Amino acid sequence: MTSRKTWTVILAAAALASCSSDDAAKDAGPSEVTFPPDFMWGSATAAFQVEKGLGNTDWGIWVKTPGKIANGDDPDVGGPDALAHIDADVAVLKAANQNTYRFSIDWARVYPTRDAFDADQADAAAIAAYDELFAALRAAGIRPLVTMQHFTLPDWLSDPREPEEPQGWERPETVPAFETWCRRVAARWGGEVDWWVTINEPLVAPLAGYVQGSFPPGLILKIERALEVGRQEVLGHAKCYDAIKAADTIDADGDGETSWVGIVQHQRAVEPELPDEPADVEAAARVRYLNNLWFINAVVRGDWDDDFDGNLDGPKDRKADPALANRSDYLGINYYSALTASARGLVLPVVDASIRQDRLLTDRPKTDFHWDIYPEGLRVILEEVRPYGLPIVITENGIADSADKNRARYVLEHLFQLGLARESGLDIRGYMYWSLLDNFEWAHGYCPRFGLHTVDRATAARAARPSAAVYANAAKTGKVTRAEIDALPPYGEPTYCE
Ligand code: IFM
């Protein structure tokens, strides 16, 4: 059980964070925010969401399982097919004044079988395709920011047809295999890449895969297994970090560093469902700790809270473990929205709270995906990570908005908050919009449209949405003004997906 003292500390931190947000909201502040010339302006994708032909992954099996994907959508049909459209994607990045592109290299594409991985026989076509992408980016002067694992795992490590067996990160061979994967990728492409992400959103996969059932292996309320996945991902991250540091010996961008290796977390502004209800306030503190801080504590401070209870008093807990500490050169933050926690409803063990991520009972505008639009929440979650003292990259921020009526305002308002956060002393190095293109949104298929660019479902032709020009202008001028934001229409009704 979590001690009263522990939660008092966590609640105090939460109060501090919400003070900062109130201050931010009250602060009419400057009429513009500016960003330095070396700021990373970019957008992001992930292999499974934009490539095709990844049937040999756990997700490849999952999408073929009837009933798992909305509308029966298939990433092999009607998607961006990114590896066959490298020039088109680099052209739209360039046209939008972006100097950085975040994408993932897929492990199962490079090593389609266990035998190929064990023998280190990389697939020639895969290597050629990623080489082509790196060459095109280099020619366009666009910096790659590369993710080693973005939700998918090779089917030889994770098979959702056998959900009762240990899968993916639960298997003892996965962490050492991931370490090897990271080492080989960093050795092969370290001359192209300086900015690396180990694992994308490590806590989303266990939550969705073992608690909610929407990701492979599709289990519901298997809490102990979910926690073990989270623990193994910490170990995998630390091993991957060390492997990249050893293998990437080339300073590709001439900044004096051969590599910047970070974790990417999906942070939410966690709020009590009923702000005047003390039990909900405490529930929010527990969820905030678990979702936003638990992983970072482990890989930055080496504080291993094995039982996830918010203190380091447990029999397996460790403080400042040197095998884990200082394993993130920067924090990658994916920020989209708020979530609410309550002491009532479907209360999950460990956090002793129910969690709502969409259709929040707030009066904020919503996205097509039923998420709250809450730009000030960006500052709330940035304040939470200020104590770690690390550089920060916003590795994802974006909106599902098929009609493109709210995206320009969404982007500029978030950038404005980011600028204010910079001015308050946070070392923020970049902003990646999610996503460069409309793509395959996991269990929701193609319906949520996050793209700055549309993708024709028949021809895969890319076309810029009007908001792409608004983002491009911010990147070009390095500033966002209140006047620009005020000139945009107010948020309108979303086009809900389902
Ligand atoms: O599409 C996802 C991405 O894969 C991870 N971060 C959140 C995005 C939107 O849901």
Side-chain angles (χ1 to χ4, degrees):
M1 270 309 275
T2 307
S3 72
R4 182 169 295 278
K5 188 171 142 228
T6 306
W7 291 120
T8 308
V9 171
I10 293 169
L11 285 166
L16 208 62
S18 72
C19 272
S20 311
S21 110
D22 290 348
D23 291 346
K26 269 186 245 145
D27 177 14
S31 57
E32 65 178 39
V33 293
T34 57
F35 297 85
D38 61 353
F39 193 73
M40 291 191 271
W41 297 96
S43 50
T45 61
F48 195 81
Q49 294 177 269
V50 297
E51 297 176 9
K52 62 183 200 185
L54 288 169
N56 60 337
T57 61
D58 47 3
W59 266 95
I61 297 168
W62 184 247
V63 299
K64 300 286 183 207
T65 313
K68 299 303 182 194
I69 308 299
N71 310 311
D73 284 347
D74 182 337
D76 284 352
V77 180
D81 194 7
L83 293 181
H85 295 84
I86 288 172
D87 290 345
D89 288 345
V90 174
V92 295
L93 283 159
K94 196 72 190 158
N97 301 322
Q98 297 180 38
N99 60 24
T100 307
Y101 179 39
R102 178 179 173 227
F103 60 96
S104 67
I105 295 183
D106 197 87
W107 187 351
R109 181 175 301 286
V110 175
Y111 294 107
T113 63
R114 174 96 225 189
D115 285 350
F117 183 72
D118 288 348
D120 193 9
Q121 284 176 342
D123 182 83
I127 299 298
Y130 289 123
D131 277 349
E132 184 187 334
L133 175 56
F134 282 118
L137 291 171
R138 191 176 351 108
I142 296 171
R143 167 193 276 130
L145 196 168
V146 171
T147 305
M148 294 288 191
Q149 197 247 345
H150 192 121
F151 292 160
T152 54
L153 284 169
D155 61 2
W156 41 271
L157 284 172
S158 182
D159 187 342
R161 289 168 297 203
E162 296 174 352
E164 301 310 324
E165 300 296 319
Q167 296 303 338
W169 292 104
E170 296 176 279
R171 295 197 194 169
E173 68 265 37
T174 300
V175 167
F178 185 58
E179 176 183 11
T180 301
W181 164 243
C182 293
R183 189 174 57 250
R184 289 182 188 163
V185 173
R188 183 178 289 276
W189 285 298
E192 305 282 356
V193 185
D194 279 351
W195 287 81
W196 301 96
V197 172
T198 56
I199 303 174
N200 179 75
E201 299 180 350
L203 297 182
V204 169
L207 181 67
Y210 293 80
V211 181
Q212 297 169 338
S214 56
F215 277 25
L219 297 166
I220 298 190
L221 290 178
K222 297 290 184 217
I223 304 295
E224 279 311 317
R225 289 180 66 182
L227 299 182
E228 187 54 19
V229 169
R231 293 186 194 101
Q232 292 302 319
E233 287 179 297
V234 168
L235 303 178
H237 164 86
K239 295 284 186 195
C240 181
Y241 177 97
D242 290 347
I244 297 172
K245 285 289 176 190
D248 179 0
T249 55
I250 301 173
D251 176 6
D253 63 10
D255 72 349
E257 301 285 343
T258 59
S259 62
W260 292 85
V261 185
I263 191 65
V264 160
Q265 280 266 115
H266 186 123
Q267 306 290 71
R268 291 263 174 164
V270 182
E271 302 176 330
E273 187 174 277
L274 299 178
D276 296 331
E277 173 59 54
D280 282 9
V281 174
E282 292 191 10
R286 290 190 294 273
V287 173
R288 183 179 302 111
Y289 166 73
L290 185 67
N291 193 72
N292 293 0
L293 306 178
W294 179 86
F295 204 101
I296 299 179
N297 284 346
V299 302
V300 175
R301 297 179 173 154
D303 289 351
W304 174 263
D305 177 9
D306 191 84
D307 48 12
F308 296 77
D309 68 352
N311 67 53
L312 296 177
D313 299 342
K316 294 187 181 167
D317 293 352
R318 301 190 291 278
K319 180 144 191 66
D321 181 346
L324 302 177
N326 303 316
R327 296 309 200 284
S328 212
D329 301 328
Y330 71 98
L331 294 176
I333 302 285
N334 293 353
Y335 172 74
Y336 289 87
S337 191
L339 67 76
T340 57
S342 165
R344 300 165 310 283
L346 179 59
V347 169
L348 299 172
V350 184
V351 283
D352 207 10
S354 65
I355 298 171
R356 188 190 276 262
Q357 302 189 69
D358 53 27
R359 302 173 168 86
L360 300 189
L361 310 174
T362 66
D363 55 9
R364 295 182 190 124
K366 308 285 189 244
T367 73
D368 291 1
F369 214 19
H370 303 270
W371 289 357
D372 273 23
I373 297 176
Y374 182 32
E376 295 80 8
L378 178 56
R379 290 203 66 197
V380 174
I381 57 109
L382 288 173
E383 285 305 319
E384 285 172 4
V385 298
R386 187 189 288 273
Y388 299 101
L390 288 172
I392 292 166
V393 177
I394 303 302
T395 34
E396 290 179 25
N397 172 242
I399 179 173
D401 178 20
S402 60
D404 203 41
K405 59 167 87 145
N406 293 325
R407 185 173 286 103
R409 176 174 278 276
Y410 179 100
V411 169
L412 292 190
E413 288 190 350
H414 283 80
L415 284 172
F416 206 92
Q417 295 299 322
L418 199 62
L420 294 176
R422 281 191 68 254
E423 283 166 16
S424 77
L426 286 169
D427 180 7
I428 296 161
R429 305 288 179 95
Y431 172 91
M432 307 295 121
Y433 178 81
W434 181 273
S435 176
L436 177 66
L437 307 166
D438 285 344
N439 61 50
F440 186 81
E441 177 57 31
W442 308 108
H444 298 271
Y446 288 114
C447 187
R449 307 287 168 97
F450 281 91
L452 287 172
H453 301 86
T454 59
V455 176
D456 187 291
R457 297 288 316 274
T459 65
R462 280 74 168 140
R465 289 198 164 96
S467 56
V470 174
Y471 181 45
N473 184 57
K476 182 175 169 192
T477 59
K479 69 176 183 187
V480 176
T481 67
R482 281 201 196 272
E484 273 174 276
I485 297 174
D486 291 344
L488 291 167
Y491 290 116
E493 266 301 293
T495 313
Y496 288 123
C497 274
E498 68 253 17

